[in-house]
């Protein structure tokens, strides 16, 4: 009779045998469809919670107060997020009950609920981030009337329309993209300062050592970023910048909208792992910023090559797993490591970014047997997570699904960029290889980098 681990593995194998191959949770690159390698369906949510959600992002705006209008089941998650990051004083909610779906008074519920909250706050916020949900779309709720009424009642407050509508995750703008745009709606039209630029839509401050920041600051430019704004007035000063730069793919839409609205220039400079693209980005940056000088990128490339060689010498042929939460362009990272001799054996992702099509095709041709593992497929709930050999993971989900204590604890690019970003990531890989982490403790903490009471 089987017991313990052996019994679990036997049961897992029985489950897999009954499933169609098309519904499996792992596929080789040679068989992976673009842009979604797995059939959508029931989804599993792993305990790796380092990536930020809309509550974390909303807290970046100084002086803002978030109000969610939704049912108790939806409220539970966002309330816990606010509590876990010790920010409950900047968070409120209006609960929708079943009868509210049928009595024809949804608009009044939102208006009166929000009004009651604002009247009771000890100090009224500069900005109210008001989140409506899927139900309001299903009901055809008159959001325009709601916001017009609230702005009339509270003329001193700025109301920003925000959305928690997961029904929009698969097509159109996601809640993430909408909020990264909404966070900059309070910025007014101001006279432009030709020596000031913005980095828009990041969750983490860009490293001071990046080429982007060094080029700007050496030429006397001020670089503004919501992640570094301590007061509402400091945030409002971002309206004086003449150039907006987006480095994080979900922030591109918001940066474009802000640039159009306030008459600013715009550059999209995502964290890339391709030397030619990095060079092209730096040339675009220097072109838009008079007085800036192009660095000697041949020296920067040589430094990257030295760091990659040093890192490969250290880790040797240790199996490496990478997940899509660590950097947006994880396929580019995978290609970089493979071309430098690293033993990348698996990537964890449920889909690919359109801008990574070239890297996808390269991997399909040059690494056809490289495995892609799903992260939300329901089979992942019961997949074995104990490797018999040392695995080096890059990303929290890769660490969780690989069952390793050796991992790079980073999400969403971690403020890295350009050649400096590649070198810094090499250092993080070296540290992960040499030092064990408490995976079980670290990955469950919501919003990596945020204050946590967990």
């Amino acid at each position: 009779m089987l017991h313990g681990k052996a019994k679990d593995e036997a049961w897992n194998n029985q489950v897999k045998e009954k499933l169609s191959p098309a519904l499996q949770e792992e596929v080789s690159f040679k068989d992976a469809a673009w842009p979604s390698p797995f059939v959508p369906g029931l989804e599993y949510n792993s305990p790796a919670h380092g990536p930020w959600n809309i509550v974390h992002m909303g807290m970046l705006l100084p002086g803002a107060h978030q109000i969610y209008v939704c049912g108790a089941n939806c409220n539970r998650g966002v309330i816990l997020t606010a509590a876990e990051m010790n920010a409950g004083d900047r968070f409120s909610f209006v609960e929708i009950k079943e009868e509210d779906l049928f009595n024809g008074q949804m608009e009044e519920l939102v208006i009166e609920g929000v009004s009651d909250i604002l009247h009771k706050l000890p100090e009224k916020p500069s900005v109210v981030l008001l989140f409506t949900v899927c139900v309001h779309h299903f009901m055809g709720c008159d959001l325009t009337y709601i916001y017009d009424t609230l702005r009339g009642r509270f003329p001193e407050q700025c109301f920003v329309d925000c959305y928690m509508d997961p029904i929009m995750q698969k097509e159109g703008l996601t809640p993430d993209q909408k909020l990264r745009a909404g966070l900059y709606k309070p910025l007014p039209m101001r006279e432009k300062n030709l020596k000031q630029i913005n980095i828009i839509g990041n969750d983490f401050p860009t490293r001071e050592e990046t080429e982007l920041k060094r080029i700007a600051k050496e030429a006397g430019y001020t670089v503004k970023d919501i992640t570094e704004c301590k007061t509402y007035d400091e945030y409002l000063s971002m309206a004086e910048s003449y150039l907006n730069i987006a480095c994080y793919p979900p922030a591109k839409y918001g940066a474009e909208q802000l640039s159009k609205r306030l008459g600013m220039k715009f550059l999209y400079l995502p964290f890339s792992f391709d030397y030619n693209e990095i060079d092209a980005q730096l040339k675009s940056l220097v072109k838009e910023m008079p007085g800036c000088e192009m660095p000697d990128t041949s020296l920067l490339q040589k430094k990257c090559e030295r760091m990659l060689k040093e890192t490969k010498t250290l880790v040797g042929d240790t199996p490496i797993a990478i997940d899509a939460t660590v950097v947006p362009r994880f396929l580019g990272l995978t290609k970089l490591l493979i071309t430098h001799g690293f033993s990348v054996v698996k990537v964890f992702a449920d889909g690919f970014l359109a801008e990574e099509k070239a890297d996808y095709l390269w991997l399909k041709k040059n690494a056809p047997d490289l495995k892609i593992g799903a992260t939300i497929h329901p089979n992942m709930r019961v997949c074995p997570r104990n490797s018999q050999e040392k695995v080096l993971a890059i990303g929290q989900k890769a660490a969780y699904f690989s069952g390793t204590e050796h991992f790079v604890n980073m999400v969403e690019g971690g403020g890295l960029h350009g050649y400096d970003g590649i070198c810094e990531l090499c250092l993080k890989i070296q540290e992960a290889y040499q030092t064990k982490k408490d995976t079980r403790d670290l990955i469950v903490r919501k919003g990596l980098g945020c204050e946590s009471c967990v």
Side-chain angles (χ1 to χ4, degrees):
M1 186 174 182
L2 296 175
H3 296 279
K5 182 179 178 182
K7 183 178 180 181
D8 290 340
E9 290 181 353
W11 185 84
N12 292 343
N13 291 333
Q14 291 177 16
V15 171
K16 289 184 178 182
E17 288 175 1
K18 295 179 181 179
L19 293 173
S20 164
L23 296 178
Q24 293 300 307
E25 71 284 351
E26 182 177 290
V27 65
S28 298
F29 252 95
K30 61 185 176 184
D31 301 318
W34 172 271
S36 302
F38 303 104
V39 177
L42 183 67
E43 297 184 358
Y44 165 65
N45 183 19
S46 83
H49 291 307
W52 286 32
N53 62 33
I54 51 179
V55 178
H56 300 111
M57 286 186 278
M59 296 298 179
L60 286 173
L61 206 167
H65 192 92
Q66 299 183 54
I67 301 177
Y68 286 72
V69 185
C70 51
N73 57 328
C74 296
N75 263 327
R76 179 180 181 275
V78 289
I79 291 170
L80 283 174
T81 297
E84 288 165 359
M85 64 185 301
N86 291 311
D89 59 329
R90 299 179 60 199
F91 180 96
S92 301
F93 66 92
V94 177
E95 183 177 336
I96 298 175
K97 297 185 180 297
E98 185 173 357
E99 57 265 28
D100 297 318
L101 304 178
F102 309 106
N103 61 17
Q105 297 180 354
M106 179 61 73
E107 288 81 3
E108 284 68 25
L109 173 71
V110 179
I111 293 169
E112 298 306 325
V114 172
S115 296
D116 183 58
I117 289 169
L118 293 179
H119 284 310
K120 291 179 179 178
L121 287 177
E123 184 176 345
K124 288 188 174 55
S126 301
V127 178
V128 177
L129 301 177
L130 177 55
F131 288 79
T132 51
V133 296
C134 310
V135 166
H136 298 99
H137 295 296
F138 294 147
M139 297 180 65
C141 192
D142 192 342
L143 297 179
T144 300
Y145 169 72
I146 289 173
Y147 282 102
D148 285 347
T149 303
L150 287 171
R151 287 170 181 140
R153 286 188 184 184
F154 303 93
E156 299 300 317
Q157 275 64 59
C158 175
F159 287 86
V160 177
D161 57 310
C162 302
Y163 305 90
M164 183 170 65
D165 48 359
I167 58 169
M168 302 300 291
Q169 291 280 15
K170 303 301 181 184
E171 60 182 40
L173 295 173
T174 64
D176 182 297
Q177 289 174 296
K178 291 176 184 177
L179 184 55
R180 290 183 197 276
L183 287 178
Y184 301 92
K185 286 184 178 180
L187 292 180
M189 179 66 76
R190 285 188 178 179
E191 184 177 351
K192 298 299 178 278
N193 178 353
L194 298 182
K195 278 291 186 176
Q196 180 175 296
I197 65 173
N198 293 327
I199 296 177
I200 296 295
N202 285 1
D203 293 331
F204 301 93
T206 303
R207 266 174 56 87
E208 294 298 322
E209 297 81 1
T210 59
E211 295 81 39
L212 191 163
K213 275 197 169 181
R214 285 195 293 106
I215 287 173
K217 292 190 174 182
E218 286 174 3
Y221 285 80
T222 298
V223 182
K224 292 281 187 175
D225 189 328
I226 194 172
T227 64
E228 299 175 303
C229 292
K230 304 301 181 185
T231 66
Y232 187 58
D233 285 340
E234 188 178 354
Y235 158 80
L236 290 176
S237 70
M238 294 180 72
E240 299 163 14
S241 298
Y242 82 96
L243 171 66
N244 291 319
I245 299 171
C247 301
Y248 189 54
K252 182 181 179 183
Y253 168 77
E256 287 177 322
Q257 295 303 305
L258 175 65
S259 301
K260 291 177 182 177
R261 183 170 65 85
L262 297 186
M264 299 166 162
K265 292 185 177 182
F266 169 71
L267 285 176
Y268 180 50
L269 308 176
F271 182 17
S272 173
F273 297 91
D274 180 88
Y275 293 164
N276 291 329
E277 183 176 9
I278 297 173
D279 282 357
Q281 289 183 2
L282 295 178
K283 289 176 182 177
S284 298
L285 181 68
V286 170
K287 182 180 178 181
E288 292 293 347
M289 299 175 64
C292 289
E293 296 183 3
M294 184 73 180
D296 187 341
T297 57
S298 64
L299 294 178
L300 295 172
Q301 289 179 19
K302 288 179 181 178
K303 182 180 179 181
C304 283
E305 290 297 305
R306 287 197 304 271
M307 290 296 300
L308 286 161
K309 183 178 180 180
E310 176 186 302
T311 306
K312 174 61 174 70
T313 300
L314 175 67
V315 305
D317 294 326
T318 302
I320 295 176
I322 303 171
D323 75 60
T325 68
V326 72
V327 289
R329 291 188 170 188
F330 71 99
L331 295 185
L333 171 59
T334 304
K335 176 184 175 182
L336 177 74
L337 294 181
I338 288 176
T339 56
H340 286 80
F342 291 83
S343 181
V344 182
V345 297
K346 195 169 187 178
V347 296
F348 290 91
D350 304 292
F352 309 120
L353 286 178
E355 58 196 71
E356 287 215 278
K357 185 67 176 285
D359 293 323
Y360 159 82
L361 294 173
W362 187 93
L363 291 167
K364 201 173 182 71
K365 178 180 179 181
N366 295 280
D369 295 323
L370 175 64
K371 301 297 184 182
I372 306 171
T375 70
I376 60 174
H377 194 288
N379 283 7
M380 299 307 291
R381 183 179 64 85
V382 295
C383 276
R385 291 186 281 274
N386 294 307
S387 175
Q388 299 302 313
E389 59 183 336
K390 181 178 181 178
V391 175
L392 175 58
I394 305 179
Q396 291 190 345
K397 290 191 176 182
Y400 172 70
F401 289 120
S402 300
T404 181
E405 296 173 305
H406 295 273
F407 72 101
V408 175
N409 191 27
M410 187 177 83
V411 297
E412 300 166 13
L416 307 187
H417 194 270
Y419 292 112
D420 172 74
I422 294 174
C423 292
E424 181 64 18
L425 185 54
C426 283
L427 291 176
K428 290 180 179 294
I429 293 172
Q430 293 178 25
E431 184 272 338
Y433 177 82
Q434 295 173 312
T435 309
K436 289 184 178 181
K437 295 183 177 71
D438 188 341
T439 309
R440 182 183 292 272
D441 174 65
L442 290 175
I443 68 169
V444 299
R445 297 173 182 269
K446 282 187 182 178
L448 181 63
C450 296
E451 183 181 354
S452 174
C453 67
V454 177

PDB file of all heavy atoms in Angstrom, residues 279-298:
ATOM      1  N   ASP A 279      21.547  49.766 -27.784  1.00  0.00           N
ATOM      2  CA  ASP A 279      22.247  50.873 -28.456  1.00  0.00           C
ATOM      3  C   ASP A 279      21.255  51.807 -29.135  1.00  0.00           C
ATOM      4  O   ASP A 279      21.373  53.043 -29.043  1.00  0.00           O
ATOM      5  CB  ASP A 279      23.234  50.329 -29.493  1.00  0.00           C
ATOM      6  CG  ASP A 279      24.515  49.811 -28.858  1.00  0.00           C
ATOM      7  OD1 ASP A 279      24.652  49.922 -27.628  1.00  0.00           O
ATOM      8  OD2 ASP A 279      25.371  49.295 -29.598  1.00  0.00           O
ATOM      9  N   ALA A 280      20.273  51.229 -29.829  1.00  0.00           N
ATOM     10  CA  ALA A 280      19.278  52.046 -30.529  1.00  0.00           C
ATOM     11  C   ALA A 280      18.463  52.871 -29.538  1.00  0.00           C
ATOM     12  O   ALA A 280      18.130  54.038 -29.807  1.00  0.00           O
ATOM     13  CB  ALA A 280      18.357  51.150 -31.349  1.00  0.00           C
ATOM     14  N   GLN A 281      18.140  52.302 -28.382  1.00  0.00           N
ATOM     15  CA  GLN A 281      17.396  53.030 -27.359  1.00  0.00           C
ATOM     16  C   GLN A 281      18.203  54.222 -26.844  1.00  0.00           C
ATOM     17  O   GLN A 281      17.671  55.326 -26.686  1.00  0.00           O
ATOM     18  CB  GLN A 281      17.048  52.104 -26.194  1.00  0.00           C
ATOM     19  CG  GLN A 281      15.997  51.059 -26.512  1.00  0.00           C
ATOM     20  CD  GLN A 281      15.639  50.227 -25.296  1.00  0.00           C
ATOM     21  OE1 GLN A 281      16.146  50.454 -24.194  1.00  0.00           O
ATOM     22  NE2 GLN A 281      14.758  49.265 -25.467  1.00  0.00           N
ATOM     23  N   LEU A 282      19.484  53.995 -26.571  1.00  0.00           N
ATOM     24  CA  LEU A 282      20.318  55.077 -26.054  1.00  0.00           C
ATOM     25  C   LEU A 282      20.480  56.193 -27.076  1.00  0.00           C
ATOM     26  O   LEU A 282      20.505  57.378 -26.728  1.00  0.00           O
ATOM     27  CB  LEU A 282      21.683  54.526 -25.632  1.00  0.00           C
ATOM     28  CG  LEU A 282      21.660  53.536 -24.457  1.00  0.00           C
ATOM     29  CD1 LEU A 282      23.066  53.031 -24.159  1.00  0.00           C
ATOM     30  CD2 LEU A 282      21.055  54.166 -23.218  1.00  0.00           C
ATOM     31  N   LYS A 283      20.571  55.836 -28.342  1.00  0.00           N
ATOM     32  CA  LYS A 283      20.658  56.845 -29.406  1.00  0.00           C
ATOM     33  C   LYS A 283      19.368  57.672 -29.468  1.00  0.00           C
ATOM     34  O   LYS A 283      19.413  58.894 -29.646  1.00  0.00           O
ATOM     35  CB  LYS A 283      20.925  56.179 -30.746  1.00  0.00           C
ATOM     36  CG  LYS A 283      22.335  55.609 -30.877  1.00  0.00           C
ATOM     37  CD  LYS A 283      22.534  54.870 -32.197  1.00  0.00           C
ATOM     38  CE  LYS A 283      23.927  54.268 -32.291  1.00  0.00           C
ATOM     39  NZ  LYS A 283      24.117  53.475 -33.536  1.00  0.00           N
ATOM     40  N   SER A 284      18.229  57.006 -29.312  1.00  0.00           N
ATOM     41  CA  SER A 284      16.944  57.722 -29.304  1.00  0.00           C
ATOM     42  C   SER A 284      16.861  58.668 -28.119  1.00  0.00           C
ATOM     43  O   SER A 284      16.369  59.796 -28.240  1.00  0.00           O
ATOM     44  CB  SER A 284      15.781  56.718 -29.240  1.00  0.00           C
ATOM     45  OG  SER A 284      15.762  55.888 -30.366  1.00  0.00           O
ATOM     46  N   LEU A 285      17.356  58.216 -26.962  1.00  0.00           N
ATOM     47  CA  LEU A 285      17.341  59.043 -25.759  1.00  0.00           C
ATOM     48  C   LEU A 285      18.195  60.288 -25.943  1.00  0.00           C
ATOM     49  O   LEU A 285      17.751  61.410 -25.664  1.00  0.00           O
ATOM     50  CB  LEU A 285      17.850  58.223 -24.573  1.00  0.00           C
ATOM     51  CG  LEU A 285      17.888  58.926 -23.217  1.00  0.00           C
ATOM     52  CD1 LEU A 285      16.479  59.208 -22.721  1.00  0.00           C
ATOM     53  CD2 LEU A 285      18.661  58.082 -22.200  1.00  0.00           C
ATOM     54  N   VAL A 286      19.404  60.112 -26.424  1.00  0.00           N
ATOM     55  CA  VAL A 286      20.329  61.235 -26.616  1.00  0.00           C
ATOM     56  C   VAL A 286      19.785  62.215 -27.650  1.00  0.00           C
ATOM     57  O   VAL A 286      19.923  63.440 -27.503  1.00  0.00           O
ATOM     58  CB  VAL A 286      21.720  60.705 -27.041  1.00  0.00           C
ATOM     59  CG1 VAL A 286      22.617  61.844 -27.489  1.00  0.00           C
ATOM     60  CG2 VAL A 286      22.365  59.933 -25.892  1.00  0.00           C
ATOM     61  N   LYS A 287      19.124  61.697 -28.663  1.00  0.00           N
ATOM     62  CA  LYS A 287      18.556  62.553 -29.705  1.00  0.00           C
ATOM     63  C   LYS A 287      17.471  63.474 -29.158  1.00  0.00           C
ATOM     64  O   LYS A 287      17.346  64.635 -29.592  1.00  0.00           O
ATOM     65  CB  LYS A 287      17.971  61.677 -30.825  1.00  0.00           C
ATOM     66  CG  LYS A 287      17.394  62.466 -31.989  1.00  0.00           C
ATOM     67  CD  LYS A 287      16.845  61.525 -33.051  1.00  0.00           C
ATOM     68  CE  LYS A 287      16.219  62.305 -34.206  1.00  0.00           C
ATOM     69  NZ  LYS A 287      15.663  61.385 -35.241  1.00  0.00           N
ATOM     70  N   GLU A 288      16.682  62.985 -28.195  1.00  0.00           N
ATOM     71  CA  GLU A 288      15.581  63.769 -27.647  1.00  0.00           C
ATOM     72  C   GLU A 288      16.005  64.668 -26.494  1.00  0.00           C
ATOM     73  O   GLU A 288      15.208  65.461 -26.001  1.00  0.00           O
ATOM     74  CB  GLU A 288      14.462  62.827 -27.162  1.00  0.00           C
ATOM     75  CG  GLU A 288      13.746  62.076 -28.273  1.00  0.00           C
ATOM     76  CD  GLU A 288      12.939  62.987 -29.179  1.00  0.00           C
ATOM     77  OE1 GLU A 288      12.723  64.168 -28.825  1.00  0.00           O
ATOM     78  OE2 GLU A 288      12.518  62.528 -30.250  1.00  0.00           O
ATOM     79  N   MET A 289      17.267  64.546 -26.036  1.00  0.00           N
ATOM     80  CA  MET A 289      17.714  65.310 -24.870  1.00  0.00           C
ATOM     81  C   MET A 289      18.975  66.099 -25.210  1.00  0.00           C
ATOM     82  O   MET A 289      20.099  65.575 -25.092  1.00  0.00           O
ATOM     83  CB  MET A 289      17.969  64.365 -23.687  1.00  0.00           C
ATOM     84  CG  MET A 289      16.721  63.612 -23.253  1.00  0.00           C
ATOM     85  SD  MET A 289      17.044  62.380 -21.950  1.00  0.00           S
ATOM     86  CE  MET A 289      17.563  63.429 -20.600  1.00  0.00           C
ATOM     87  N   PRO A 290      18.808  67.332 -25.665  1.00  0.00           N
ATOM     88  CA  PRO A 290      19.961  68.165 -26.045  1.00  0.00           C
ATOM     89  C   PRO A 290      20.990  68.262 -24.916  1.00  0.00           C
ATOM     90  O   PRO A 290      20.636  68.415 -23.741  1.00  0.00           O
ATOM     91  CB  PRO A 290      19.324  69.528 -26.324  1.00  0.00           C
ATOM     92  CG  PRO A 290      17.913  69.212 -26.711  1.00  0.00           C
ATOM     93  CD  PRO A 290      17.532  68.037 -25.868  1.00  0.00           C
ATOM     94  N   GLY A 291      22.247  68.143 -25.283  1.00  0.00           N
ATOM     95  CA  GLY A 291      23.318  68.245 -24.293  1.00  0.00           C
ATOM     96  C   GLY A 291      23.779  66.912 -23.755  1.00  0.00           C
ATOM     97  O   GLY A 291      24.820  66.833 -23.084  1.00  0.00           O
ATOM     98  N   CYS A 292      23.035  65.851 -24.035  1.00  0.00           N
ATOM     99  CA  CYS A 292      23.427  64.522 -23.563  1.00  0.00           C
ATOM    100  C   CYS A 292      24.430  63.894 -24.521  1.00  0.00           C
ATOM    101  O   CYS A 292      24.402  64.150 -25.728  1.00  0.00           O
ATOM    102  CB  CYS A 292      22.200  63.618 -23.436  1.00  0.00           C
ATOM    103  SG  CYS A 292      21.120  64.045 -22.073  1.00  0.00           S
ATOM    104  N   GLU A 293      25.304  63.063 -23.972  1.00  0.00           N
ATOM    105  CA  GLU A 293      26.330  62.409 -24.776  1.00  0.00           C
ATOM    106  C   GLU A 293      26.130  60.902 -24.790  1.00  0.00           C
ATOM    107  O   GLU A 293      25.797  60.297 -23.771  1.00  0.00           O
ATOM    108  CB  GLU A 293      27.724  62.732 -24.233  1.00  0.00           C
ATOM    109  CG  GLU A 293      28.092  64.208 -24.331  1.00  0.00           C
ATOM    110  CD  GLU A 293      29.507  64.482 -23.857  1.00  0.00           C
ATOM    111  OE1 GLU A 293      30.218  63.498 -23.508  1.00  0.00           O
ATOM    112  OE2 GLU A 293      29.907  65.656 -23.841  1.00  0.00           O
ATOM    113  N   MET A 294      26.344  60.328 -25.949  1.00  0.00           N
ATOM    114  CA  MET A 294      26.228  58.883 -26.108  1.00  0.00           C
ATOM    115  C   MET A 294      27.432  58.203 -25.457  1.00  0.00           C
ATOM    116  O   MET A 294      28.578  58.550 -25.733  1.00  0.00           O
ATOM    117  CB  MET A 294      26.168  58.535 -27.601  1.00  0.00           C
ATOM    118  CG  MET A 294      25.952  57.075 -27.901  1.00  0.00           C
ATOM    119  SD  MET A 294      24.247  56.559 -27.549  1.00  0.00           S
ATOM    120  CE  MET A 294      24.363  54.812 -28.007  1.00  0.00           C
ATOM    121  N   PRO A 295      27.199  57.237 -24.579  1.00  0.00           N
ATOM    122  CA  PRO A 295      28.323  56.539 -23.952  1.00  0.00           C
ATOM    123  C   PRO A 295      28.996  55.587 -24.935  1.00  0.00           C
ATOM    124  O   PRO A 295      28.443  55.274 -25.995  1.00  0.00           O
ATOM    125  CB  PRO A 295      27.657  55.768 -22.808  1.00  0.00           C
ATOM    126  CG  PRO A 295      26.265  55.523 -23.300  1.00  0.00           C
ATOM    127  CD  PRO A 295      25.895  56.749 -24.098  1.00  0.00           C
ATOM    128  N   ASP A 296      30.200  55.139 -24.579  1.00  0.00           N
ATOM    129  CA  ASP A 296      30.916  54.161 -25.399  1.00  0.00           C
ATOM    130  C   ASP A 296      30.303  52.793 -25.129  1.00  0.00           C
ATOM    131  O   ASP A 296      30.661  52.110 -24.166  1.00  0.00           O
ATOM    132  CB  ASP A 296      32.405  54.176 -25.054  1.00  0.00           C
ATOM    133  CG  ASP A 296      33.224  53.297 -25.991  1.00  0.00           C
ATOM    134  OD1 ASP A 296      32.623  52.415 -26.642  1.00  0.00           O
ATOM    135  OD2 ASP A 296      34.455  53.480 -26.049  1.00  0.00           O
ATOM    136  N   THR A 297      29.365  52.398 -25.975  1.00  0.00           N
ATOM    137  CA  THR A 297      28.639  51.147 -25.734  1.00  0.00           C
ATOM    138  C   THR A 297      29.507  49.916 -25.969  1.00  0.00           C
ATOM    139  O   THR A 297      29.177  48.835 -25.461  1.00  0.00           O
ATOM    140  CB  THR A 297      27.372  51.073 -26.597  1.00  0.00           C
ATOM    141  OG1 THR A 297      27.731  51.208 -27.979  1.00  0.00           O
ATOM    142  CG2 THR A 297      26.398  52.175 -26.221  1.00  0.00           C
ATOM    143  N   SER A 298      30.603  50.057 -26.709  1.00  0.00           N
ATOM    144  CA  SER A 298      31.485  48.902 -26.898  1.00  0.00           C
ATOM    145  C   SER A 298      32.095  48.495 -25.556  1.00  0.00           C
ATOM    146  O   SER A 298      32.243  47.303 -25.266  1.00  0.00           O
ATOM    147  CB  SER A 298      32.589  49.224 -27.911  1.00  0.00           C
ATOM    148  OG  SER A 298      33.443  50.262 -27.434  1.00  0.00           O
TER     149      SER A 298
END
